[in-house]
Amino acid sequence: MQFKDIIGQEEVKRRLRETVRQGRISHALLFTGAEGTGALPLALAYAQYVNCRNRTEEDSCGECPECYRMQRLEHPDCHYIYPVNASKEAVATGRADEKPRSEQFVHLWRQMIPETGGYLTEQEWYARLGIENQQGIINKTDANELVRQMGFKAFEGGYKTVVVWLPERLHETAANTLLKLVEEPPERTLFLFVSVEPEKIIATIRSRTQTVALAGVADDLIARELVVRRGITAEGAEQAAYLAQGSWGEAVRLATGTEGAGGGTAEHGERFIRLMRLCYQQKYLDLFSWAEEMAPLGREVQKQFCVAGLELLRACYLTGIGLRRLAYTNPAQERFCQNFAPYVSHATVEEFVREFELLLGHIRQNGNARILFTHFAMSICKIIGTARAALK
């Protein structure tokens, strides 16, 4: 991965290059940013830049042996840790055990990083592992193996680099083991943490890192790169960039029509709209069918539905108070919001949000999905019924 492969983030790239030129390489960096903003690609590009033997003022050379191995994710001095769990894919390849390690899934890691350009989402990773219904975790086995690896000298004589993707998924015991390494790192060791939810990282680790915060990518830049790199029409690129809210990864998925397992934002929007229409029409048998369809999707997909539903509720509310320009919706969702906005008012919006948050909490606690979604649908029906009566 090279800096030139990353969309935007020019100021962050400049500061990272400056640390290398001035010999001020921090032993632990924490890259933070929403999915699709480029935190993981930047960490990978920085690791390559640090270890490149022929780097320029602007980028790694991309041709030396170090760059070749880094780009193939095969450099012996670069280690990758990411959340995993017992996986159907691992069973199929004979690599499963009771405490799975990152190393067992490195073949999938080497597939997905080139495929996505490093703009990889957590749900896409879980889908490739075959654990859509489970939560990934970084366990102590990974941490212990890392401690062992750090005890060896660097093969190439450069920096021993550790890329930890989603450190918020560290098990407590693994976090405590890793903390000792971060506190007293071996000489010429570089830890690169990449997080979407940095507030969930154990405080003792977070406090020992230097944060590299990423903002969203500008819409005009996303649109231009979609046209140049993906061959998307100018109109389609502009719409995808607007809906992506600063996420290059999401913009690519929207523009190319590729969604993860269980669907993406657009499909969750369709599920939300269907639910609201069935509730409005009081079609209770169809609502039971809707709940049956939602139940087998898996916890991670169900949580994504809740987040997408809250976003659409926000759009409806903003439309109702005359701030439609602040709502990020596609044309179909925009039409729905205009029609449904009267029912998402000051009087009802908190009730809607409360039901979504309650559902989200029960999903996280592994409640029975059929019961949860059936009760949720009936609760939404009640709120809409009350709003209709008030509008008459």
Side-chain angles (χ1 to χ4, degrees):
M1 190 74 63
Q2 294 179 276
F3 287 129
K4 67 179 183 181
D5 300 322
I6 299 162
I7 309 299
Q9 310 298 352
E10 297 304 324
E11 176 58 23
V12 177
K13 295 176 190 176
R14 185 194 65 77
R15 286 191 279 114
L16 290 173
R17 290 192 295 260
E18 196 71 18
T19 63
V20 178
R21 287 197 295 267
Q22 296 181 359
R24 296 186 293 104
I25 299 175
S26 173
H27 80 284
L29 294 178
L30 172 60
F31 293 81
T32 67
E35 287 185 334
T37 55
L40 179 57
L42 267 174
L44 296 174
Y46 183 63
Q48 182 167 318
Y49 188 69
V50 167
N51 285 289
C52 177
R53 65 174 67 175
N54 299 319
R55 61 175 173 262
T56 66
E57 291 288 306
E58 297 299 319
D59 214 336
S60 54
C61 71
E63 298 177 352
C64 67
E66 283 77 9
C67 283
Y68 177 78
R69 287 194 286 270
M70 291 292 287
Q71 288 172 159
R72 291 173 61 87
L73 306 174
E74 295 176 348
H75 198 289
D77 293 328
C78 191
H79 306 275
Y80 306 97
I81 295 180
Y82 30 78
V84 297
N85 211 319
S87 164
K88 292 181 291 185
E89 204 283 338
V91 171
T93 57
R95 301 185 180 204
D97 58 28
E98 293 180 359
K99 294 183 178 180
R101 304 185 308 278
S102 297
E103 181 185 10
Q104 295 172 312
F105 302 91
V106 70
H107 60 296
L108 299 179
W109 181 255
R110 289 170 179 162
Q111 290 173 10
M112 292 210 73
I113 295 301
E115 286 176 13
T116 62
Y119 291 88
L120 174 65
T121 68
E122 185 174 7
Q123 188 58 32
E124 286 174 332
W125 175 240
Y126 292 164
R128 183 62 62 91
L129 294 183
I131 59 170
E132 298 95 327
N133 298 335
Q134 299 172 263
Q135 174 72 66
I137 191 169
I138 301 172
N139 59 47
K140 190 176 180 180
T141 308
D142 258 329
N144 288 338
E145 176 62 19
L146 184 61
V147 170
R148 189 183 74 85
Q149 292 285 348
M150 291 298 102
F152 301 136
K153 290 184 178 180
F155 285 89
E156 304 290 342
Y159 275 82
K160 289 183 72 68
T161 308
V162 180
V163 178
V164 183
W165 184 51
L166 301 178
E168 54 265 40
R169 301 292 177 245
L170 277 163
H171 188 274
E172 185 178 354
T173 56
N176 290 331
T177 300
L178 193 57
L179 174 62
K180 297 175 184 177
L181 270 179
V182 179
E183 284 181 326
E184 300 177 6
E187 187 178 358
R188 294 179 69 79
T189 299
L190 178 60
F191 289 93
L192 304 176
F193 297 91
V194 181
S195 174
V196 175
E197 300 174 296
E199 69 280 359
K200 293 184 178 180
I201 301 173
I202 183 172
T204 46
I205 288 181
R206 192 171 66 245
S207 64
R208 286 162 175 78
T209 63
Q210 181 178 326
T211 301
V212 180
L214 276 64
V217 185
D219 288 359
D220 58 343
L221 179 57
I222 290 177
R224 185 169 69 248
E225 293 298 328
L226 282 173
V227 173
V228 174
R229 300 190 183 206
R230 300 284 176 161
I232 308 299
T233 64
E235 183 181 357
E238 288 178 7
Q239 184 181 37
Y242 172 73
L243 294 174
Q245 301 183 50
S247 168
W248 167 254
E250 181 65 14
V252 170
R253 285 185 285 276
L254 289 169
T256 59
T258 55
E259 303 285 4
T265 304
E267 189 166 345
H268 289 314
E270 292 172 5
R271 289 169 178 146
F272 173 89
I273 292 172
R274 182 179 170 221
L275 168 66
M276 296 303 161
R277 285 175 175 161
L278 291 175
C279 288
Y280 180 86
Q281 297 164 354
Q282 296 183 339
K283 293 185 175 180
Y284 297 110
L285 289 178
D286 289 338
L287 282 171
F288 285 120
S289 298
W290 179 88
E292 288 290 325
E293 292 170 10
M294 294 296 297
L297 290 179
R299 280 183 296 167
E300 294 305 313
V301 176
Q302 290 166 355
K303 286 189 281 186
Q304 288 182 349
F305 164 77
C306 292
V307 173
L310 287 169
E311 281 293 320
L312 273 174
L313 278 175
R314 172 182 177 273
C316 291
Y317 181 73
L318 289 172
T319 300
I321 61 175
L323 295 175
R324 191 175 66 190
R325 67 185 183 279
L326 300 179
Y328 293 91
T329 54
N330 61 36
Q333 292 170 350
E334 184 176 340
R335 288 192 296 272
F336 168 79
C337 290
Q338 289 174 343
N339 295 328
F340 194 65
Y343 304 97
V344 187
S345 63
H346 297 295
T348 60
V349 65
E350 290 187 3
E351 293 183 59
F352 278 118
V353 170
R354 189 180 303 115
E355 290 300 328
F356 270 94
E357 290 181 341
L358 188 62
L359 174 63
L360 187 57
H362 287 316
I363 291 171
R364 286 172 174 158
Q365 294 170 13
N366 203 22
N368 184 296
R370 284 182 174 81
I371 296 174
L372 292 180
F373 279 96
T374 301
H375 180 271
F376 169 73
M378 295 301 106
S379 299
I380 295 298
C381 268
K382 183 177 179 181
I383 296 172
I384 293 177
T386 303
R388 288 184 67 181
L391 288 172
K392 288 181 179 179

